[in-house]
Amino acid sequence: MTSVAISATGLFTPEQSISNAELVTAFNAYAAKFNADNASAIEAGVVTALQPSSVEFIEKASGIKARYVLDKAGVLDPDIMCPRLPERPNDQISVMAEIGVKAAQDALARAGRTARDVDAVLCAASNMQRAYPAMAIEIQEALGIEGFAFDMNVACSSATFGIQTAADFIRAGHARSVLVVNPEICSGHLNFRDRDSHFIFGDVATAVLVERADIAPAGSWMILGTKLKTVFSNNIRNNFGFLNRTAPEGVGATDKLFVQEGRKVFKEVVPMVADMILGQMAELNLKAGDLRRLWLHQANANMNRLISQRVLGREATEDDSPTVLDTYANTSSAGSIIAFHLNNGDLSAGDRGLICSFGAGYSAGCVFVSKAS
Ligand code: COA
């Protein structure tokens, strides 16, 4: 079978960042105003008063200290509390394609590739900016790539599912070089008025260049094996869609944004992912000691600690399982790719590791890799 490698990854990080303190100040101003505006209904027991958020809770419960966003001012304005990203005319590149292109250019430059070398583009992300034309085709056009492109959405697992899809195209002989792009504008679907989750997400874009191993540059990462899994769950859900624009509650209702049962997600996803990793390790004949590093999905530091503990059989160090949650927060499918991108340069030829994602669906994806010489 044709061997496949990750030739390079790319990263686009927005310029603006919001600290927990800034986010909590904005939420608490909104909550105080809501409580004042609804004082008599709260007094009468018809409306529930909003509780303040806290920096200490956020950091302890999630490990998140800050998040990058495309529009800080809108998110922090207690009267707005969402990013203001003006609609662009059709003859301008859309914002999601724009950040995807930046990450893709970084990946291409690192691999020493030009657009002519690439046969296909997959835009794999949790949300697409529009229904059609596909974001991937706009990215393909902006980069000047021939061949084909399409969008795919597997929520937080979009990137790993994209990597396996790219690898399968290459193994089947349909492409030699496939660009998987993950523009995640998570601030657009986060409810910044919801105390339970307002701190979770950030914005970013990543890109992964997947290629036939025999053309991959020196220092690429051989894909040893991949495994995907999905199990239906309503515990992470967003009802936004093209059929509810005329519904009475319509766009803007809170169920048309991200909602989750965070505790249930935590309890159900940790064993599902740990079992999946261990099962795939057995299939690939890999022992815990064979894995030099785990680049796990970045949703919650405590989840990562438990999963890596089950996989390694011991407490993982930051070197075993690096986290980028403190600065990036949860960036959906891009999280494990950021962790990989920022933390693989120190590894040596022959070192093996695991890129692993998990999230809504539920969905989970494993990509086992080995550094080539
Ligand atoms: N500030 C202060 N207190 C808060 C708060 C906030 N922003 N949000 C919730 N709390 C309070 C709750 O009201 C609750 O108080 P109580 O004990 O008096 O009822 C307490 O903190 C615990 O809340 P809970 O929601 O049970 O916290 P948690 O420890 O489960 O942490 C998550 C919440 C979301 C961080 C955690 O469940 C998680 O990360 N789950 C997995 C999420 C995930 O991976 N999702 C995938 C997204 S793609």
Side-chain angles (χ1 to χ4, degrees):
M1 197 167 40
T2 309
S3 295
V4 182
I6 293 176
S7 290
T9 52
L11 175 65
F12 165 76
T13 302
E15 283 167 14
Q16 304 171 45
S17 168
I18 298 178
S19 68
N20 284 345
E22 291 172 312
L23 194 74
V24 164
T25 300
F27 178 88
N28 290 350
Y30 155 74
K33 185 168 185 300
F34 176 92
N35 291 345
D37 290 349
N38 294 280
S40 47
I42 291 170
E43 180 85 47
V46 182
V47 169
T48 308
L50 297 181
Q51 299 300 311
S53 183
S54 94
V55 170
E56 297 69 34
F57 170 84
I58 294 170
E59 198 173 325
K60 186 160 175 286
S62 69
I64 295 166
K65 294 181 186 166
R67 69 285 296 141
Y68 291 98
V69 290
L70 290 178
D71 177 43
K72 180 169 177 169
V75 169
L76 291 184
D77 184 331
D79 292 323
I80 299 175
M81 296 190 86
C82 72
R84 283 168 308 182
L85 302 173
E87 281 196 37
R88 297 178 179 182
N90 289 359
D91 61 0
Q92 273 181 29
I93 190 165
S94 52
V95 63
M96 192 172 161
E98 184 176 78
I99 67 170
V101 163
K102 287 180 181 166
Q105 285 168 332
D106 185 25
L108 290 174
R110 286 168 192 270
R113 292 277 184 262
T114 69
R116 276 194 308 283
D117 301 315
V118 181
D119 304 315
V121 178
L122 310 186
C123 180
S126 288
N127 290 278
M128 295 302 157
Q129 184 168 344
R130 59 170 181 262
Y132 44 80
M135 300 310 307
I137 303 177
E138 190 178 3
I139 294 169
Q140 174 195 4
E141 162 77 10
L143 290 167
I145 290 170
E146 294 192 7
F148 65 93
F150 63 91
D151 293 345
M152 52 185 292
N153 172 358
V154 202
C156 288
S157 288
S158 299
T160 53
F161 276 59
I163 292 171
Q164 176 170 315
T165 305
D168 287 345
F169 277 134
I170 292 165
R171 288 186 196 114
H174 297 305
R176 298 188 323 154
S177 177
V178 182
L179 198 48
V180 181
V181 187
N182 325 107
E184 292 284 11
I185 307 179
C186 299
S187 60
H189 71 108
L190 180 55
N191 184 355
F192 287 97
R193 295 188 176 91
D194 175 30
R195 175 179 177 253
D196 288 351
S197 63
H198 74 115
F199 54 87
I200 288 183
F201 288 111
D203 301 336
V204 82
T206 53
V208 184
L209 187 65
V210 184
E211 300 193 305
R212 248 175 46 186
D214 59 356
I215 62 164
S220 60
W221 287 84
M222 301 290 297
I223 295 180
L224 301 176
T226 55
K227 184 83 180 172
L228 310 179
K229 184 178 171 76
T230 48
V231 179
F232 186 72
S233 168
N234 276 325
N235 288 332
I236 312 171
R237 188 159 174 138
N238 182 339
N239 282 333
F240 181 80
F242 77 104
L243 290 182
N244 49 38
R245 72 193 169 118
T246 54
E249 287 245 1
V251 173
T254 51
D255 77 322
K256 309 299 184 294
L257 294 165
F258 169 88
V259 275
Q260 73 164 353
E261 296 275 353
R263 273 276 157 104
K264 288 188 189 161
V265 174
F266 199 113
K267 268 177 68 179
E268 291 169 10
V269 170
V270 168
M272 177 182 132
V273 172
D275 289 351
M276 177 187 180
I277 296 173
L278 290 169
Q280 189 60 8
M281 282 169 64
E283 215 151 283
L284 295 171
N285 208 15
L286 290 172
K287 306 272 173 294
D290 297 329
L291 292 178
R292 175 67 184 80
R293 193 160 286 164
L294 308 177
W295 299 280
L296 298 183
H297 178 50
Q298 303 286 314
N300 178 293
N302 298 322
M303 271 175 109
N304 286 12
R305 189 172 53 75
L306 286 174
I307 291 171
S308 48
Q309 196 176 36
R310 287 199 192 188
V311 170
L312 299 178
R314 60 178 169 79
E315 192 78 26
T317 63
E318 182 64 21
D319 185 61
D320 295 322
S321 175
T323 41
V324 299
L325 272 166
D326 51 347
T327 48
Y328 280 89
N330 182 343
T331 50
S332 198
S333 75
S336 57
I337 307 301
I338 306 173
F340 176 75
H341 180 85
L342 296 177
N343 299 285
N344 76 58
D346 59 319
L347 269 54
S348 311
D351 279 345
R352 283 166 289 196
L354 166 67
I355 301 169
C356 177
S357 68
F358 37 89
Y362 296 133
S363 58
C366 287
V367 180
F368 287 90
V369 290
S370 169
K371 184 151 180 156
S373 43

